[in-house]
């Protein structure tokens, strides 16, 4: 299993929108959210087929985290 990582810096209020966009693109193994100091705040493994209803609890948790962050880095592990 080879994978690559991509990083995106976003403002806290844009966190959920960016994560939804990334999930929609597909091919993601894991999403890691870091605060502006680079500390991991949340890690979400993405198992194949996790969509819609199954994703709702994670998005609610991300929303709570986003409210506390002014700036975040999203690290995405994608399958090659």
């Amino acid at each position: 299993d080879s994978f690559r990582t991509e990083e995106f810096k976003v403002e806290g209020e844009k966190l959920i929108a960016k994560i939804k966009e990334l999930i929609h693109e597909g091919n993601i193994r894991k999403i890691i959210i870091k605060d502006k100091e680079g500390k991991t705040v949340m890690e979400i493994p993405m198992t194949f087929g996790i969509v819609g209803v199954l994703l709702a609890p994670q998005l609610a948790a991300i929303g709570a985290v986003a409210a506390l962050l002014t700036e975040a880095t999203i690290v995405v592990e994608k399958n090659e």
Side-chain angles (χ1 to χ4, degrees):
D1 271 4
S2 66
F3 64 92
R4 61 187 165 88
T5 59
E6 293 179 14
E7 287 192 17
F8 304 91
K9 289 206 184 300
V10 294
E11 294 169 29
E13 71 265 8
K14 295 185 176 139
L15 191 60
I16 287 185
K18 183 63 178 176
I19 287 176
K20 283 182 179 177
E21 177 189 317
L22 291 165
I23 290 168
H24 185 72
E25 288 173 15
N27 216 21
I28 293 176
R29 291 169 38 115
K30 189 191 303 184
I31 294 174
I32 302 165
I33 301 169
K34 297 182 177 187
D35 64 16
K36 63 182 172 185
E37 284 80 38
K39 188 173 130 205
T40 299
V41 179
M42 182 179 255
E43 209 168 297
I44 309 160
M46 302 299 291
T47 52
F48 181 73
I50 187 168
V51 288
V53 174
L54 295 175
L55 201 56
Q58 280 94 339
L59 290 176
I62 292 165
V65 166
L68 302 173
L69 300 174
T70 52
E71 184 183 295
T73 301
I74 303 169
V75 180
V76 180
E77 287 184 4
K78 289 188 172 188
N79 291 321
E80 288 286 22

